Amino acid sequence: MVVYHVWFGRVSGGVDVFLMISAFFLTHSFAQRMRRGEPLQPWSFWVRKFRRLLPAAAVTIFGVLVVTGHTVPAVDWPAIWRQAWASLGYVQNWELAFRSIDYYARETVLPSPLQHFWSLSVQGQVFVLWPLLFLLAALIVRRARVSVTSVLLVMFGAVFVCSLVFSISETATNQQFAYFDTRTRLWEFALGSLVAVVLPFFRAPAVLRAILGWAGLVGIVLCGAVLDVQSGFPGFLALWPTLCTAAIILAGHHAARGAPTALLGSRPMVALGRDAYALYLVHWPILIFALTLQRRTEAGPLTGLIVIVASLVTARLLSALVERPLRRWRWADGATWRSVAIIGVSLLLVAGPLGVWQIVRREVVASAEATLAQAQAEAADAEAAPPSATELGGLTLVDAPIVPVATALDEEWVVVGPTCDGRFAVGDEVRPGSEPLVSTCRQSPLVKNPTRTVLVIGSSHTEQMMGALIPVAQANGWQLVSLLLGGCSIAPDEAPTRLDVGQCREWRDAAMAYAVDIAPDAVMTVVTTTVPGAPGETLQPGIGSVVDRLTGAGIEVIAVRDNPRFTFDPYRCMTELGRSAAQCQVGADLLLAPQNPAAVIAGDGVVLIDLSDAICPEQLCVPVIGNIAVYLDTNHLTETFARALSPVMAAQLAAGGFG
């Protein structure tokens, strides 16, 4: 597994082997107790198991946080913070699963140094679930007076079949989510349990066992080379490494001449296995930090060798100084509360420093925002009038920080207000099955007798442009309502981004029906689409029919031009190279069309909004204007900058007759 990660940049299928083997040993222990009629004592199992696993994991997470603070760009800290909490609570797999389908999740150059904790989280969840299944099995054995073997075979057979069918289905439809989903992995644990149950009854000729053993070993080694594990698992393809593991276990039950048992039981292999858990914990963060320091995405031969050696040494230290001493500490075995205390200390080792770090950073964010607000106010007083957005672009306050602060970027998405209610509530008749419209509808605080009602519809680009509209609406007593779905514009023929076509189409139809139903004074939406790193800006296909339908219903259209999109992250570039670095600046002519493509839909009932000159002053798109960061990622404006554009928005609305 380590070699695949370090030198080949591939996933090996070793995790599937790891999950299956953990269930095998767990089941073997509980099944023996059931057959002897001993109490199962799941509470004691949980305490012992997590007393063994958590300390080394907590030390690893703590070390990752320390190195993160010194080597990782601040823009990536929030993601690592979230994953540190998730890893500590054994829910990292769900954190990664939901982030994988979150349109608004920030993309990073390298994976998280804590990403590998997803499999430990799945294992931890099964360690909680499996003893409960054994309690149920023991109850059935007592009540029905049937054999332990029969009950366990039926129980884990049912889990195997149901989970495998679900895994195949979800992997085919949503593989990114399925990869981290506990439910799609339960069959791997169930297979390990089934092997443990049948192992005492397995009999086969020595030659067959030898063939099974070597076939299984070769199959595991070649799995990552033959199969695309990361993009194809954990559906039926994961049967490859798990069945190979089953073959090795069955082959090794009774020593057979010529089987790989001698190799696997040799002193070097045993020594490596002794530190296997610690090696799994440390190898991934060491690799990621090595790549981060070298600004590379792949390890070469020398770097890879250094990473492997460093991982082995670190694993030996972690095992010798933390894992094994605590596991053998007789004092901890004296009473349950002592094991619980060790678990508590392990949790505090991470929770304490991490909590303090986040509190301190929140203070930094608040201080930066207050400092800039004060500096801007003083600058405005000196000019005797508040600066316009274009003037703000030329106003650089050297003593004020850049906002938003890197760790606050996740909070820069524009939200108009709470979920739609009252007359703006979304009814069942416009709630498509795959994407409920109600989940995307929000409204500003209810305005009594509003002078205008504006509905904002579209993708995340329309959402960020709404940041410039909100101050205008507040100043003029307008009611705002938004229907926003990341990756899905309102144009019927525009291909969605990172979203299912059918899901987007249903949402569009429902959104248009909702717009006609509530009959606002105007609908605002982005109507053009820019292309990252190229002047390929075009009018969104089919947007003309949307404009005609709305204006035909007496609803004005505020047609906004899209903002430029970069091939790199301007904020990240600025923090690494400096705000004035030439590499972080791109000419507007390289990102935008020479003329606004939306001009062709201009006419009665249509107000064109083009903020390009304010976003890219003097035809140069830069990461920072004044002391405000323009972009929060490669293609979305920060809310702070969007709000600074409100004077330009107000002027263009007024010029278009909408004010």
Side-chain angles (χ1 to χ4, degrees):
M1 183 190 302
V2 175
V3 171
Y4 270 103
H5 283 167
V6 173
W7 273 321
F8 301 108
R10 292 175 65 92
V11 180
S12 65
V15 164
D16 306 86
V17 175
F18 160 73
L19 298 180
M20 181 183 166
I21 290 177
S22 66
F24 169 80
F25 286 115
L26 186 156
T27 302
H28 178 71
S29 173
F30 272 93
Q32 284 186 326
R33 290 186 186 180
M34 289 180 65
R35 292 187 177 109
R36 293 194 298 262
E38 298 176 357
L40 299 182
Q41 299 180 321
W43 169 252
S44 297
F45 167 79
W46 291 327
V47 171
R48 291 195 310 272
K49 181 62 68 175
F50 287 104
R51 187 193 86 185
R52 181 200 168 203
L53 296 178
L54 194 56
V59 170
T60 302
I61 298 171
F62 177 80
V64 166
L65 293 175
V66 171
V67 180
T68 293
H70 291 85
T71 64
V72 175
V75 293
D76 293 327
W77 289 358
I80 296 178
W81 292 342
R82 286 191 301 271
Q83 292 186 29
W85 287 115
S87 299
L88 193 65
Y90 286 89
V91 291
Q92 166 75 322
N93 63 310
W94 294 113
E95 165 69 19
L96 294 175
F98 286 108
R99 295 292 286 184
S100 73
I101 60 172
D102 183 3
Y103 177 84
Y104 295 94
R106 285 181 54 81
E107 296 181 357
T108 57
V109 178
L110 290 170
S112 163
L114 293 172
Q115 180 172 298
H116 65 313
F117 268 83
W118 75 266
S119 60
L120 299 176
S121 297
V122 174
Q123 183 194 50
Q125 293 161 33
V126 169
F127 282 162
V128 173
L129 174 61
W130 248 231
L132 299 178
L133 292 181
F134 281 108
L135 284 177
L136 176 60
L139 178 62
I140 295 173
V141 168
R142 287 197 303 269
R143 295 290 177 86
R145 297 186 181 278
V146 292
S147 70
V148 171
T149 299
S150 299
V151 172
L152 294 181
L153 285 176
V154 171
M155 177 177 290
F156 290 116
V159 173
F160 175 83
V161 172
C162 293
S163 175
L164 179 58
V165 170
F166 177 76
S167 180
I168 293 172
S169 174
E170 188 173 75
T171 300
T173 57
N174 191 357
Q175 191 273 333
Q176 285 186 309
F177 191 92
Y179 191 86
F180 302 110
D181 191 339
T182 302
R183 299 167 298 175
T184 63
R185 299 283 180 172
L186 290 179
W187 68 265
E188 298 179 323
F189 291 93
L191 181 57
S193 295
L194 290 172
V195 172
V197 173
V198 303
L199 186 61
F201 310 99
F202 177 74
R203 298 291 184 272
V207 174
L208 178 58
R209 294 202 305 272
I211 294 174
L212 279 175
W214 284 110
L217 183 60
V218 172
I220 289 175
V221 172
L222 295 179
C223 178
V226 176
L227 300 179
D228 184 1
V229 175
Q230 188 164 356
S231 300
F233 275 38
F236 67 91
L237 291 178
L239 285 167
W240 179 318
T242 51
L243 290 178
C244 287
T245 305
I248 293 175
I249 294 173
L250 293 173
H253 180 46
H254 295 291
R257 187 174 182 180
T261 309
L263 172 63
L264 297 176
S266 62
R267 293 184 63 181
M269 297 299 290
V270 171
L272 191 61
R274 175 189 57 191
D275 298 333
Y277 176 57
L279 181 61
Y280 183 81
L281 287 173
V282 303
H283 85 280
W284 182 256
I286 289 176
L287 170 62
I288 296 303
F289 286 133
L291 295 177
T292 299
L293 290 172
Q294 293 188 319
R295 299 181 183 274
R296 299 172 61 179
T297 57
E298 295 182 356
L302 179 58
T303 299
L305 180 61
I306 294 173
V307 167
I308 290 176
V309 172
S311 298
L312 291 171
V313 172
T314 306
R316 180 84 284 273
L317 292 173
L318 182 62
S319 180
L321 300 179
V322 179
E323 183 189 4
R324 295 183 68 190
L326 288 176
R327 182 171 44 177
R328 297 178 176 180
W329 195 10
R330 292 185 178 180
W331 175 86
D333 294 328
T336 301
W337 71 265
R338 296 176 181 176
S339 294
V340 173
I342 292 174
I343 294 174
V345 171
S346 300
L347 294 173
L348 287 175
L349 176 65
V350 175
L354 179 55
V356 171
W357 189 5
Q358 290 183 285
I359 291 172
V360 170
R361 289 303 299 184
R362 280 198 292 270
E363 293 297 323
V364 170
V365 171
S367 175
E369 293 173 347
T371 300
L372 180 61
Q374 180 180 357
Q376 289 176 339
E378 293 174 354
D381 290 340
E383 296 291 332
S388 67
T390 51
E391 290 170 340
L392 182 62
L395 180 62
T396 300
L397 306 170
V398 294
D399 295 328
I402 294 173
V403 295
V405 172
T407 51
L409 290 176
D410 286 346
E411 302 169 12
E412 286 293 305
W413 295 101
V414 179
V415 178
V416 68
T419 302
C420 294
D421 195 10
R423 106 170 174 87
F424 302 114
V426 177
D428 292 337
E429 69 279 3
V430 290
R431 191 180 298 176
S434 61
E435 181 60 46
L437 193 69
V438 66
S439 68
T440 67
C441 187
R442 291 182 174 273
Q443 67 181 67
S444 61
L446 195 62
V447 178
K448 188 176 182 179
N449 301 319
T451 57
R452 298 270 190 167
T453 297
V454 179
L455 173 62
V456 182
I457 303 179
S459 67
S460 57
H461 279 235
T462 299
E463 177 179 348
Q464 294 308 95
M465 287 294 185
M466 184 175 63
L469 180 66
I470 290 175
V472 181
Q474 292 172 339
N476 291 279
W478 298 350
Q479 178 72 55
L480 292 185
V481 182
S482 68
L483 286 174
L484 301 163
L485 180 60
C488 183
S489 72
I490 195 61
D493 300 323
E494 175 87 351
T497 304
R498 292 169 59 186
L499 199 67
D500 178 72
V501 174
Q503 180 184 11
C504 183
R505 181 176 60 250
E506 290 181 356
W507 181 85
R508 286 167 174 159
D509 293 342
M512 286 298 297
Y514 177 83
V516 173
D517 181 57
I518 69 169
D521 295 289
V523 166
M524 185 185 104
T525 189
V526 169
V527 296
T528 70
T529 300
T530 54
V531 178
E537 182 187 12
T538 59
L539 188 70
Q540 292 178 356
I543 194 65
S545 64
V546 173
V547 172
D548 291 342
R549 182 177 177 185
L550 293 173
T551 55
I555 303 171
E556 290 191 72
V557 175
I558 302 173
V560 183
R561 186 180 190 182
D562 196 11
N563 61 264
R565 309 184 191 212
F566 289 75
T567 57
F568 59 90
D569 186 336
Y571 196 107
R572 188 183 298 274
C573 182
M574 168 195 68
T575 56
E576 293 180 356
L577 302 179
R579 60 183 294 167
S580 301
Q583 299 94 315
C584 305
Q585 305 174 359
V586 181
D589 60 320
L590 299 177
L591 303 177
L592 295 168
Q595 303 295 327
N596 186 356
V600 299
I601 62 172
D604 293 340
V606 178
V607 179
L608 296 183
I609 301 295
D610 185 353
L611 305 177
S612 302
D613 289 342
I615 297 173
C616 300
E618 299 180 356
Q619 293 297 295
L620 186 64
C621 302
V622 294
V624 180
I625 297 179
N627 288 76
I628 301 177
V630 180
Y631 287 85
L632 63 88
D633 57 19
T634 60
N635 63 103
H636 293 99
L637 302 178
T638 64
E639 179 181 17
T640 304
F641 181 75
R643 285 181 174 270
L645 296 176
S646 60
V648 182
M649 172 73 79
Q652 293 191 14
L653 286 171
F658 191 91

